[in-house]
Amino acid sequence: MGHFFDVDDGGPLRLEVRSVDGRDFTLLRRIGYRSDDYDEPFVVPSDLEQFRTDFASVPWMFTWLVPRSGRYSAAAVLHDAIVIEGDYEGPPIDRVEADRIFRVALRELGTPVVRSWLMWAAVSIATMWTMPQRRWRWRGAVLALIGAVTLIGLIATGDLLDLWSVLPWMGQRSLGAELLGGGVAAIVVPSVLALTWGRFARAGIITGVALAFLLHVTLAIAALFGLYRLVERVVTGPGAGTGPQSA
């Protein structure tokens, strides 16, 4: 399966896991990955007993688009191990390079192109968030892009519904023209704002454009989930989820 292999016998990948708590898993055998850019393979994890993975760390509101597990699970395990210092054997690399290897591994496992780039953009945001230098500059860039795209998207929605006329690319036009203008802006505006991400600009473009097109779906899912939690709490009643009481 691509450049992945079984460490014990050198044969095809065998991803065998055991659930720890329903969310995190431990591996029963180590897996290896050969990158075309390195002579030495990556072997993960270095410690089977201590290593934990949740596969793809996807926020619940996006699991409809990228489930936590799938054909890309081995790449997610590889990335989890590499970005945790000392939890792999292989060439020393930084987190940015680990993200790149993750993207390549996704494609080698047959992950669709759009999904693989979305997943790479997501781990790139996590890398920006944990950068050791100029951390608040990177965090500010992430928050500014997400906030700006969300705000502009909400304003554009009101413009489309003729609640106001604010955005120049919408205006008082036909529905089709406004939808076209909004679609173009959903690509151009996030791409320009993503330039503030510097070396991570490509990840910013993917993140911004994806958010612009998926904003309403995301808000709808969040609203439905919030309603479900409210109904669950009302039906279940107070004190639920505390477990059995001792006699």
Side-chain angles (χ1 to χ4, degrees):
M1 187 180 292
H3 287 65
F4 284 93
F5 64 94
D6 183 82
V7 173
D8 292 338
D9 58 20
L13 171 69
R14 294 172 60 183
L15 185 59
E16 299 178 3
V17 301
R18 180 177 63 238
S19 175
V20 176
D21 55 12
R23 177 182 175 87
D24 291 332
F25 297 82
T26 183
L27 267 62
L28 299 180
R29 57 195 302 127
R30 298 198 296 170
I31 64 174
Y33 176 77
R34 297 186 182 91
S35 170
D36 292 337
D37 300 307
Y38 297 93
D39 296 330
E40 184 182 357
F42 295 89
V43 175
V44 303
S46 57
D47 187 341
L48 279 172
E49 294 297 326
Q50 298 297 321
F51 178 71
R52 298 290 184 271
T53 180
D54 61 352
F55 298 122
S57 303
V58 181
W60 61 265
M61 66 181 65
F62 295 116
T63 52
W64 64 273
L65 181 62
V66 181
R68 294 187 185 276
S69 61
R71 64 174 61 186
Y72 42 77
S73 292
V77 170
L78 173 70
H79 186 264
D80 279 355
I82 290 179
V83 298
I84 300 174
E85 184 176 356
D87 219 2
Y88 78 98
E89 299 171 9
I93 59 174
D94 63 16
R95 184 157 179 159
V96 175
E97 175 65 1
D99 294 346
R100 186 195 68 82
I101 290 175
F102 173 62
R103 188 185 71 228
V104 173
L106 287 172
R107 293 295 299 126
E108 291 173 349
L109 290 171
T111 308
V113 175
V114 173
R115 179 173 289 178
S116 64
W117 280 92
L118 286 172
M119 294 177 72
W120 170 76
V123 298
S124 295
I125 292 176
T127 295
M128 292 175 67
W129 202 258
T130 58
M131 288 290 282
Q133 284 129 9
R134 303 173 68 193
R135 177 173 299 179
W136 292 107
R137 177 256 192 267
W138 296 116
R139 290 185 177 185
V142 170
L143 294 175
L145 175 64
I146 293 176
V149 171
T150 300
L151 178 60
I152 293 173
L154 294 176
I155 294 175
T157 301
D159 223 326
L160 183 67
L161 297 176
D162 293 328
L163 299 179
W164 48 68
S165 181
V166 178
L167 301 176
W169 56 84
M170 302 291 285
Q172 298 297 324
R173 300 185 178 91
S174 65
L175 177 62
E178 289 191 6
L179 287 173
L180 178 60
V184 172
I187 297 174
V188 174
V189 173
S191 298
V192 173
L193 294 175
L195 297 178
T196 61
W197 285 29
R199 62 190 290 197
F200 299 98
R202 185 161 50 170
I205 293 173
I206 295 170
T207 300
V209 172
L211 177 60
F213 281 101
L214 299 176
L215 175 63
H216 300 91
V217 176
T218 302
L219 292 177
I221 292 175
L224 289 173
F225 183 76
L227 178 61
Y228 160 74
R229 291 294 297 270
L230 177 62
V231 171
E232 190 70 68
R233 177 167 296 186
V234 170
V235 172
T236 304
T242 58
Q245 302 295 317
S246 57

